[in-house]
């Protein structure tokens, strides 16, 4: 029903999209980037979707227009390093018109603002390049203010000249303190600014449109997001934890695509023809002609190299260590579906001793709630999902590793699939309500886990932190409400909203898309021919639209408040800067009636005992003491906005901080029986220590002993 309603909305808008747009003001000195016809259409439809189907039921008005303008300018120049006060004053003409412009699909104003930014950007990068070779006095007592967010906009070019001159000086001092020669420092900074200039020259209207839509949607609510076609593909691949291609991670290095990693099991890995460090200078599809990709944007090169499984791609390779002028090696690979195992759920087993007893505890790290919906809908019995992966890990931990308890690590897990959160909860509670969802009509539905029995019914704990959000909060909240396990960490993010992913192409009548494609092709925009020789319709992208809120089975929303752990740790993330309650456009906290659920156990008394034992350990814990000191120092540094440009003073400050950090590190290492590190020496990977994980395992040992 929703799709049918949305189709009507889109059809009407496409028919109306032929209105004559305003003339976009021209900015001298830069290639003026202009919006594409399909972007005008998408903008109108995003407005329609938000006004009709966003949970807030909000209508665009002059107040929202003002907020969008401020958000957009901040996104472009949050450091106030490019625009001058006169530029900002000239943008005031758009303060109360963007709501009407966006509703009509008129993007000329916001694209003009970007082109002004582009001009200013190039001006100050060019100025900085000229300043790199200037003579500086590093013994002066001047300072560089790097955080200018709360300062006024520069009144003149001369004022910005001074800011950029100090920035260049600061960058040179940093390299000089590191001990590199002056000539090398000048070369490094010159290349840095030349690279910045090169990268900004590659920006296109898709990049600009994405920034505009980000500013727009973030004003509505923090989690309604538009993704342009390239970003939509990346989002869906991340959700599926898979993609189709050659199985190599790529990066841009001095205008050339370089292989940074070969993914195990993929075509590149199996062929043994590619290695990390190899550079790709040309790409051909099957037996087609090669295209030279030197100087291309990274995502454009990646799009050529990736492709449907079963298809062939040929690459021109300059092997690692060879000069770029060397004769390329040509290789051919057949693309396959690549599973991103390193971003999937993983397990490890650790042993903990407590009061003379030894316990084996399995730790399952879940980085996100992912699911390959495309494969699942196609009937693939082995489709990728969080629940399926965790179920296999539990079976191994239980039957092979013979663990006494399991801890789920959801730290930095920003969420993902709501269905996966429900199914994953079922692995630990069996059958029962998991989450309540209230839609934009106010109707509340209860979603239940349908497992006949839990996959793990033994001692269980969950680690969370401030970055644990959304699906992580559904899972940890349900575990806590059922008394099924102990939650350990810091107050979670507080995202209690549900987004629906809408492929904009699927909402538009195909014949209308073809008309739009013909119009785009006629106007000379980028378009490709399909296999049948016709014009391929333009991709419109995807919107993740906030259409519901979720609530715990107790009826309480996690919105704003998140999940409060049973065992609370200090947060290494600033609670006043990260979290839903720091977002001005976030939905409020509220409640719905309690669902009909039966807790597995009442852990109230046990929880109190665990807290006491934890606090006793923390009172004598050196790690805890150092953690609190580090957090206090981070808060102190948060308020700093400037830095000295006196080389001697800066070096003294840096040396003092480094010495203090090394002393604390060695104090902790001594407590663990490890040898002290020397200045500049790094600890080995096997010596890494995770304080929160270690203490969580001790809490689990306490839990087993109390029970």
């Amino acid at each position: 029903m929703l799709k049918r309603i949305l189709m009507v909305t889109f059809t009407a808008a496409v028919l109306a999209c032929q209105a004559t747009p305003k003339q976009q003001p021209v900015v001298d000195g830069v290639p003026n980037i202009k919006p594409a016809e399909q972007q005008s259409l998408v903008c109108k439809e995003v407005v329609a979707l938000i006004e009709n189907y966003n949970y807030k039921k909000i209508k665009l008005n002059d107040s929202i227009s003002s907020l969008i303008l401020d958000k957009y300018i901040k996104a472009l120049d949050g450091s106030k390093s490019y625009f001058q006060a006169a530029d900002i004053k000239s943008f005031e003409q758009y303060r109360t018109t963007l709501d009407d412009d966006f509703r009509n699909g008129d993007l000329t104003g916001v694209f003009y603002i970007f082109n002004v930014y582009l001009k200013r950007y190039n001006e100050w990068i060019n100025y900085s390049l000229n300043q790199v070779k200037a003579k500086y006095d590093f013994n002066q007592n001047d300072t560089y203010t790097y955080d200018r967010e709360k300062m006024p906009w520069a009144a003149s070019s001369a004022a910005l000249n001074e800011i950029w001159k100090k920035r260049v000086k600061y960058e040179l001092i940093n390299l000089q303190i590191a001990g590199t020669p002056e000539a090398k420092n000048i070369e490094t900074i010159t290349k840095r600014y030349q690279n910045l200039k090169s990268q900004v020259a590659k920006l296109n209207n898709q990049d600009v449109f994405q920034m505009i839509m980000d500013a727009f949607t973030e004003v509505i609510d923090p989690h309604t997001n538009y993704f342009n076609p390239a970003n939509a593909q990346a989002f869906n691949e991340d959700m599926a934890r898979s993609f189709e291609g050659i199985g190599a991670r790529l990066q841009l290095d001095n205008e050339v695509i370089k292989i940074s990693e070969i993914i195990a099991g993929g075509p590149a890995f199996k062929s043994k023809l590619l290695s990390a460090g190899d550079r790709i200078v040309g790409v051909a599809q099957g037996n087609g002609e090669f295209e030279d990709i030197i100087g291309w944007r990274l995502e454009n090169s990646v799009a050529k190299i990736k492709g449907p499984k079963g298809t062939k791609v040929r690459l021109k390779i300059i092997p690692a260590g060879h000069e770029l002028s060397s004769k390329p090696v040509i290789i051919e690979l057949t693309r396959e579906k690549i599973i991103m195992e390193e971003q999937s759920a993983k397990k490890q087993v650790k042993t903990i001793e407590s009061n003379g007893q030894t316990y084996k505890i399995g730790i399952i790290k879940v980085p996100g709630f992912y699911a390959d919906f495309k494969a699942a809908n196609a009937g693939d019995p082995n489709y990728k999902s969080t629940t399926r992966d965790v179920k296999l890990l539990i079976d191994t931990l239980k039957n092979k590793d013979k663990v006494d308890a399991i801890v789920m690590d959801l730290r930095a897990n920003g969420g993902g699939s709501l269905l996966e959160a429900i199914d994953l909860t079922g692995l630990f509670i069996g059958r029962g309500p998991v989450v309540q969802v209230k839609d934009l009509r106010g109707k509340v539905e209860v979603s239940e886990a349908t497992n006949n029995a839990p996959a793990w019914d033994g001692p269980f704990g969950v680690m969370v932190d401030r970055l644990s959000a959304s699906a992580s909060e559904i899972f940890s909240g349900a575990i806590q409400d059922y008394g099924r396990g102990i939650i350990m960490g810091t107050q979670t993010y507080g995202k209690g909203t549900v987004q629906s992913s809408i492929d904009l192409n699927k909402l538009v009548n195909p014949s209308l898309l073809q008309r739009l494609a013909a119009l785009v092709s006629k106007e000379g925009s980028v378009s490709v021919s399909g296999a049948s020789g016709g014009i391929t319709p333009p991709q419109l992208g995807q919107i993740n639209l906030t259409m519901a809120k979720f609530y715990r089975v107790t009826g309480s929303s996690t919105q704003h408040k998140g999940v409060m752990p049973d065992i609370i740790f200090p947060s290494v993330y600033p609670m006043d800067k990260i979290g839903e309650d720091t977002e001005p456009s976030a939905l409020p906290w509220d409640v719905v009636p309690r669902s009909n659920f039966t807790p597995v156990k009442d852990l109230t008394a046990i929880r109190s005992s665990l807290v006491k034992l934890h606090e006793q350990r923390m009172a004598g814990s050196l790690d805890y003491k150092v953690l609190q000191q580090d957090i206090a120092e981070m808060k102190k540094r948060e308020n700093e906005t400037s830095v000295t440009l006196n080389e001697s003073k800066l070096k003294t400050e840096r040396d003092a901080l480094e010495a203090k950090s090394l002393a604390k590190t060695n104090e902790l290492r001594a407590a663990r029986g490890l040898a002290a590190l020397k200045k500049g020496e790094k600890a080995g990977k096997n010596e890494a220590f995770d304080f929160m994980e270690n203490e969580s395992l001790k809490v689990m040992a306490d839990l087993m002993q109390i029970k």
Side-chain angles (χ1 to χ4, degrees), residues 512-523 527 535-538:
L512 297 176
L513 267 180
Q514 287 292 341
R515 286 170 53 190
L516 180 61
L519 179 64
V520 170
S521 178
K522 185 177 180 181
E523 292 179 351
S527 181
I535 300 173
T536 300

Side-chain angles (χ1 to χ4, degrees), residues 42-76:
V42 168
C43 183
K44 293 164 68 174
E45 297 324 311
V46 169
V47 171
L49 286 168
I50 286 173
E51 291 193 326
N52 291 290
Y53 303 106
N54 184 274
Y55 190 87
K56 279 188 172 181
K57 302 177 183 176
I58 196 169
K59 297 293 181 183
L60 267 64
N61 54 30
D62 290 354
S63 296
I64 290 177
S65 173
S66 180
L67 293 172
I68 294 171
L69 179 64
D70 289 339
K71 178 77 76 172
Y72 182 47
I73 291 173
K74 185 175 181 180
L76 291 174

Side-chain angles (χ1 to χ4, degrees), residues 129-188:
L129 279 167
N130 291 330
Q131 293 302 309
V132 173
K133 294 182 180 180
K135 293 298 181 182
Y136 293 95
D137 182 356
F138 296 125
N139 296 315
Q140 289 179 312
N141 288 319
D142 52 342
T143 59
Y144 167 54
T145 301
Y146 54 84
D147 184 353
R148 303 187 67 252
E149 182 179 354
K150 296 180 181 179
M151 298 182 71
W153 293 96
S156 65
S157 296
L160 277 178
N161 283 347
E162 188 63 22
I163 291 168
W164 279 92
K165 192 171 184 178
K166 287 187 174 182
R167 173 172 167 169
V168 172
K169 183 177 180 180
Y170 176 62
E171 291 179 324
L172 287 168
I173 288 176
N174 276 327
L175 294 176
Q176 197 153 305
I177 288 176
T180 49
E182 180 182 354
K184 181 64 176 177
N185 295 342
I186 292 173
E187 179 186 347
T188 299

Side-chain angles (χ1 to χ4, degrees), residues 462-480:
V462 182
M463 288 189 284
V464 295
D465 63 11
R466 189 60 167 174
L467 301 184
S468 303
S470 192
S472 292
E473 295 172 298
I474 292 173
F475 177 84
S476 56
I479 295 299
Q480 189 176 59

Side-chain angles (χ1 to χ4, degrees), residues 70 147 219 226 257 291 306 318 466 497 531 571 593:
D70 289 339
D147 184 353
V219 163
Y226 167 77
I257 298 299
E291 293 181 90
K306 289 167 65 174
I318 304 294
R466 189 60 167 174
T497 57
S571 177

Side-chain angles (χ1 to χ4, degrees), residues 242-315:
S242 65
F243 65 92
E244 294 179 352
I246 66 169
R249 299 200 189 284
L250 309 175
Q251 66 183 55
L252 196 61
D253 183 18
N254 291 326
E255 304 293 301
V256 181
I257 298 299
K258 185 171 77 172
I259 296 174
S260 60
E261 180 187 354
I262 301 294
I263 299 174
F269 178 83
K270 294 175 184 175
S271 73
K272 299 181 180 179
L273 298 174
L274 289 172
S275 303
D278 290 350
R279 287 150 295 171
I280 303 174
V281 296
V283 182
Q285 309 303 319
N287 295 320
E289 294 293 323
F290 271 101
E291 293 181 90
D292 187 320
I293 62 171
I294 293 178
W296 281 27
R297 288 164 55 104
L298 177 62
E299 58 266 38
N300 292 347
S301 300
V302 169
K304 290 288 184 180
I305 296 168
K306 289 167 65 174
K309 63 180 180 181
T311 59
K312 295 184 183 298
V313 62
R314 289 185 296 140
L315 307 174

